[in-house]
mmCIF file of all heavy atoms in Angstrom:
data_model
loop_
_atom_site.group_PDB
_atom_site.id
_atom_site.type_symbol
_atom_site.label_atom_id
_atom_site.label_comp_id
_atom_site.label_asym_id
_atom_site.label_seq_id
_atom_site.Cartn_x
_atom_site.Cartn_y
_atom_site.Cartn_z
ATOM 1 N N PRO A 1309 -6.711 30.950 -16.891
ATOM 2 C CA PRO A 1309 -6.661 31.463 -18.263
ATOM 3 C C PRO A 1309 -7.216 32.877 -18.385
ATOM 4 O O PRO A 1309 -8.068 33.294 -17.593
ATOM 5 C CB PRO A 1309 -7.562 30.474 -19.017
ATOM 6 C CG PRO A 1309 -8.593 30.078 -17.985
ATOM 7 C CD PRO A 1309 -7.845 30.014 -16.688
ATOM 8 N N LEU A 1310 -6.714 33.609 -19.392
ATOM 9 C CA LEU A 1310 -7.266 34.902 -19.743
ATOM 10 C C LEU A 1310 -8.400 34.704 -20.754
ATOM 11 O O LEU A 1310 -8.474 33.672 -21.416
ATOM 12 C CB LEU A 1310 -6.168 35.785 -20.347
ATOM 13 C CG LEU A 1310 -5.113 36.314 -19.375
ATOM 14 C CD1 LEU A 1310 -3.980 36.985 -20.135
ATOM 15 C CD2 LEU A 1310 -5.715 37.273 -18.360
ATOM 16 N N PRO A 1311 -9.288 35.702 -20.892
ATOM 17 C CA PRO A 1311 -10.356 35.595 -21.897
ATOM 18 C C PRO A 1311 -9.788 35.341 -23.293
ATOM 19 O O PRO A 1311 -8.644 35.722 -23.601
ATOM 20 C CB PRO A 1311 -11.043 36.963 -21.815
ATOM 21 C CG PRO A 1311 -10.776 37.435 -20.426
ATOM 22 C CD PRO A 1311 -9.403 36.930 -20.085
ATOM 23 N N SER A 1312 -10.558 34.700 -24.146
ATOM 24 C CA SER A 1312 -10.085 34.233 -25.447
ATOM 25 C C SER A 1312 -9.651 35.358 -26.376
ATOM 26 O O SER A 1312 -8.851 35.129 -27.300
ATOM 27 C CB SER A 1312 -11.168 33.385 -26.125
ATOM 28 O OG SER A 1312 -12.361 34.139 -26.285
ATOM 29 N N HIS A 1313 -10.153 36.584 -26.151
ATOM 30 C CA HIS A 1313 -9.785 37.687 -27.050
ATOM 31 C C HIS A 1313 -8.435 38.297 -26.698
ATOM 32 O O HIS A 1313 -7.963 39.208 -27.389
ATOM 33 C CB HIS A 1313 -10.862 38.785 -27.018
ATOM 34 C CG HIS A 1313 -11.003 39.471 -25.694
ATOM 35 N ND1 HIS A 1313 -11.819 38.993 -24.696
ATOM 36 C CD2 HIS A 1313 -10.442 40.598 -25.201
ATOM 37 C CE1 HIS A 1313 -11.755 39.793 -23.648
ATOM 38 N NE2 HIS A 1313 -10.916 40.776 -23.928
ATOM 39 N N VAL A 1314 -7.795 37.806 -25.655
ATOM 40 C CA VAL A 1314 -6.523 38.368 -25.190
ATOM 41 C C VAL A 1314 -5.373 37.463 -25.616
ATOM 42 O O VAL A 1314 -5.440 36.234 -25.497
ATOM 43 C CB VAL A 1314 -6.526 38.523 -23.651
ATOM 44 C CG1 VAL A 1314 -5.174 39.018 -23.154
ATOM 45 C CG2 VAL A 1314 -7.642 39.470 -23.211
ATOM 46 N N ASN A 1315 -4.288 38.078 -26.123
ATOM 47 C CA ASN A 1315 -3.064 37.350 -26.460
ATOM 48 C C ASN A 1315 -2.287 37.106 -25.161
ATOM 49 O O ASN A 1315 -1.591 37.992 -24.669
ATOM 50 C CB ASN A 1315 -2.233 38.163 -27.459
ATOM 51 C CG ASN A 1315 -0.979 37.430 -27.916
ATOM 52 O OD1 ASN A 1315 -0.399 36.648 -27.168
ATOM 53 N ND2 ASN A 1315 -0.555 37.700 -29.133
ATOM 54 N N THR A 1316 -2.443 35.919 -24.620
ATOM 55 C CA THR A 1316 -1.858 35.615 -23.312
ATOM 56 C C THR A 1316 -0.352 35.798 -23.307
ATOM 57 O O THR A 1316 0.215 36.357 -22.358
ATOM 58 C CB THR A 1316 -2.219 34.172 -22.901
ATOM 59 O OG1 THR A 1316 -3.633 34.061 -22.763
ATOM 60 C CG2 THR A 1316 -1.556 33.802 -21.588
ATOM 61 N N GLN A 1317 0.326 35.351 -24.370
ATOM 62 C CA GLN A 1317 1.783 35.430 -24.379
ATOM 63 C C GLN A 1317 2.269 36.875 -24.375
ATOM 64 O O GLN A 1317 3.259 37.204 -23.727
ATOM 65 C CB GLN A 1317 2.353 34.687 -25.580
ATOM 66 C CG GLN A 1317 3.834 34.342 -25.430
ATOM 67 C CD GLN A 1317 4.121 33.517 -24.185
ATOM 68 O OE1 GLN A 1317 3.520 32.473 -23.965
ATOM 69 N NE2 GLN A 1317 5.026 34.008 -23.350
ATOM 70 N N ARG A 1318 1.561 37.753 -25.093
ATOM 71 C CA ARG A 1318 1.954 39.161 -25.085
ATOM 72 C C ARG A 1318 1.858 39.742 -23.680
ATOM 73 O O ARG A 1318 2.748 40.472 -23.226
ATOM 74 C CB ARG A 1318 1.071 39.977 -26.031
ATOM 75 C CG ARG A 1318 1.531 41.448 -26.094
ATOM 76 C CD ARG A 1318 0.507 42.384 -26.691
ATOM 77 N NE ARG A 1318 0.912 43.778 -26.486
ATOM 78 C CZ ARG A 1318 0.078 44.799 -26.504
ATOM 79 N NH1 ARG A 1318 -1.212 44.617 -26.719
ATOM 80 N NH2 ARG A 1318 0.516 46.025 -26.307
ATOM 81 N N VAL A 1319 0.782 39.391 -22.971
ATOM 82 C CA VAL A 1319 0.613 39.878 -21.599
ATOM 83 C C VAL A 1319 1.737 39.342 -20.710
ATOM 84 O O VAL A 1319 2.364 40.102 -19.952
ATOM 85 C CB VAL A 1319 -0.759 39.462 -21.042
ATOM 86 C CG1 VAL A 1319 -0.867 39.805 -19.556
ATOM 87 C CG2 VAL A 1319 -1.878 40.153 -21.816
ATOM 88 N N MET A 1320 2.009 38.048 -20.790
ATOM 89 C CA MET A 1320 3.035 37.442 -19.937
ATOM 90 C C MET A 1320 4.417 38.019 -20.230
ATOM 91 O O MET A 1320 5.230 38.207 -19.326
ATOM 92 C CB MET A 1320 3.054 35.927 -20.135
ATOM 93 C CG MET A 1320 1.712 35.240 -19.906
ATOM 94 S SD MET A 1320 1.011 35.537 -18.285
ATOM 95 C CE MET A 1320 2.016 34.478 -17.287
ATOM 96 N N ASN A 1321 4.679 38.306 -21.505
ATOM 97 C CA ASN A 1321 5.986 38.835 -21.881
ATOM 98 C C ASN A 1321 6.206 40.258 -21.374
ATOM 99 O O ASN A 1321 7.348 40.736 -21.334
ATOM 100 C CB ASN A 1321 6.151 38.815 -23.406
ATOM 101 C CG ASN A 1321 6.293 37.420 -23.962
ATOM 102 O OD1 ASN A 1321 6.339 36.442 -23.224
ATOM 103 N ND2 ASN A 1321 6.336 37.309 -25.275
ATOM 104 N N THR A 1322 5.122 40.937 -20.990
ATOM 105 C CA THR A 1322 5.232 42.309 -20.500
ATOM 106 C C THR A 1322 5.684 42.354 -19.042
ATOM 107 O O THR A 1322 6.190 43.369 -18.572
ATOM 108 C CB THR A 1322 3.869 43.032 -20.648
ATOM 109 O OG1 THR A 1322 3.410 42.886 -21.990
ATOM 110 C CG2 THR A 1322 3.990 44.515 -20.346
ATOM 111 N N ILE A 1323 5.506 41.250 -18.318
ATOM 112 C CA ILE A 1323 5.878 41.220 -16.900
ATOM 113 C C ILE A 1323 7.390 41.368 -16.755
ATOM 114 O O ILE A 1323 8.175 40.712 -17.458
ATOM 115 C CB ILE A 1323 5.419 39.896 -16.260
ATOM 116 C CG1 ILE A 1323 3.897 39.776 -16.322
ATOM 117 C CG2 ILE A 1323 5.898 39.795 -14.815
ATOM 118 C CD1 ILE A 1323 3.373 38.425 -15.865
ATOM 119 N N LEU A 1324 7.806 42.221 -15.842
ATOM 120 C CA LEU A 1324 9.231 42.387 -15.552
ATOM 121 C C LEU A 1324 9.779 41.057 -15.028
ATOM 122 O O LEU A 1324 9.255 40.512 -14.048
ATOM 123 C CB LEU A 1324 9.408 43.488 -14.506
ATOM 124 C CG LEU A 1324 10.817 44.037 -14.286
ATOM 125 C CD1 LEU A 1324 11.282 44.821 -15.503
ATOM 126 C CD2 LEU A 1324 10.838 44.925 -13.042
ATOM 127 N N PRO A 1325 10.812 40.487 -15.639
ATOM 128 C CA PRO A 1325 11.286 39.168 -15.221
ATOM 129 C C PRO A 1325 11.587 39.061 -13.720
ATOM 130 O O PRO A 1325 11.317 38.014 -13.115
ATOM 131 C CB PRO A 1325 12.550 38.968 -16.065
ATOM 132 C CG PRO A 1325 12.266 39.738 -17.324
ATOM 133 C CD PRO A 1325 11.507 40.957 -16.860
ATOM 134 N N ALA A 1326 12.100 40.119 -13.123
ATOM 135 C CA ALA A 1326 12.432 40.083 -11.691
ATOM 136 C C ALA A 1326 11.184 39.974 -10.819
ATOM 137 O O ALA A 1326 11.272 39.568 -9.659
ATOM 138 C CB ALA A 1326 13.228 41.329 -11.314
ATOM 139 N N LYS A 1327 10.023 40.364 -11.365
ATOM 140 C CA LYS A 1327 8.777 40.304 -10.601
ATOM 141 C C LYS A 1327 7.883 39.138 -11.035
ATOM 142 O O LYS A 1327 6.760 39.005 -10.562
ATOM 143 C CB LYS A 1327 7.997 41.622 -10.751
ATOM 144 C CG LYS A 1327 8.685 42.819 -10.101
ATOM 145 C CD LYS A 1327 7.759 44.025 -10.056
ATOM 146 C CE LYS A 1327 8.402 45.185 -9.302
ATOM 147 N NZ LYS A 1327 7.441 46.299 -9.095
#
Side-chain angles (χ1 to χ4, degrees):
L1310 288 171
S1312 58
H1313 65 273
V1314 176
N1315 183 329
T1316 297
Q1317 198 57 54
R1318 183 196 169 202
V1319 173
M1320 305 303 284
N1321 290 356
T1322 308
I1323 298 173
L1324 193 68
K1327 293 190 175 188

